[in-house]
Amino acid sequence: MSKSAAALALVASLMLTATANAQQVRLLGEHRAWSSYAANDAGGPVCFAMTKPESVAPTPDGYSQAYLYLTNRPTENVTTEFSLVAGFAFQPDSMATINVGGQVFNLFTQNDGAWLDDAGQTAALASAIRAGSSMVVEGTTAAGIKVTQNYSLSGATAAQQSIGSGC
């Protein structure tokens, strides 16, 4: 399992754990379209900012809610790691893209998850998200249908600041 896939699994497990035991994940703040959270796991503190798309077109068969995450894991020196749960299975071995203010970043996909193809672009993507007003993710479903998800970046800067100080 790649480090990014492990990070997504961690976030998913934290969210499931939050359902079972609310005090393990705490809300750091609501920031317009974004929310920020903090938790502890065996590896130490984990903070993440998350949002969901404002629109998805076309809506794929079997679609479940999509979420986009920026995650900090200070004990691992990880800051603003990008991950996406698309709400649908991507076409195997396909790439997706994220466009923020004309800056395009490639994402590798696995099942319903996507991560930056070049982890060296993490800071550039985080900066683009803070500076932008909207973001578009495009990917292809397992059925071969191109799906576009539109996200608001309203509150993204405050959410990133919140996870920076919350961990």
Side-chain angles (χ1 to χ4, degrees), residues 3 55 115 146:
K3 190 168 190 164
S55 66
W115 303 267
K146 183 179 176 183

Side-chain angles (χ1 to χ4, degrees), residues 63-144:
Y63 177 76
S64 61
Q65 184 62 60
Y67 293 98
L68 185 147
Y69 299 93
L70 295 174
T71 304
N72 288 357
R73 289 188 309 280
T75 56
E76 297 176 34
N77 294 320
V78 172
T79 305
T80 59
E81 179 179 62
F82 173 88
S83 60
L84 169 74
V85 176
F88 61 88
F90 286 103
Q91 188 173 59
D93 301 318
S94 68
M95 299 290 283
T97 60
I98 182 166
N99 185 324
V100 185
Q103 294 182 64
V104 178
F105 301 87
N106 290 320
L107 307 174
F108 77 90
T109 66
Q110 183 178 5
N111 299 321
D112 68 341
W115 303 267
L116 270 175
D117 189 47
D118 178 358
Q121 293 184 320
T122 298
L125 176 56
S127 178
I129 289 171
R130 286 190 304 273
S133 60
S134 65
M135 178 171 48
V136 177
V137 174
E138 293 181 336
T140 304
T141 69

Side-chain angles (χ1 to χ4, degrees), residues 10-11 13-14 24 39-46 73 75-76:
L10 171 65
V11 170
S13 71
L14 288 172
Q24 289 189 359
N40 286 301
D41 70 1
V46 177
R73 289 188 309 280
T75 56
E76 297 176 34

Side-chain angles (χ1 to χ4, degrees), residues 43-69:
V46 177
C47 293
F48 57 95
M50 62 183 286
T51 189
K52 57 187 180 180
E54 292 186 313
S55 66
V56 177
T59 303
D61 289 341
Y63 177 76
S64 61
Q65 184 62 60
Y67 293 98
L68 185 147
Y69 299 93

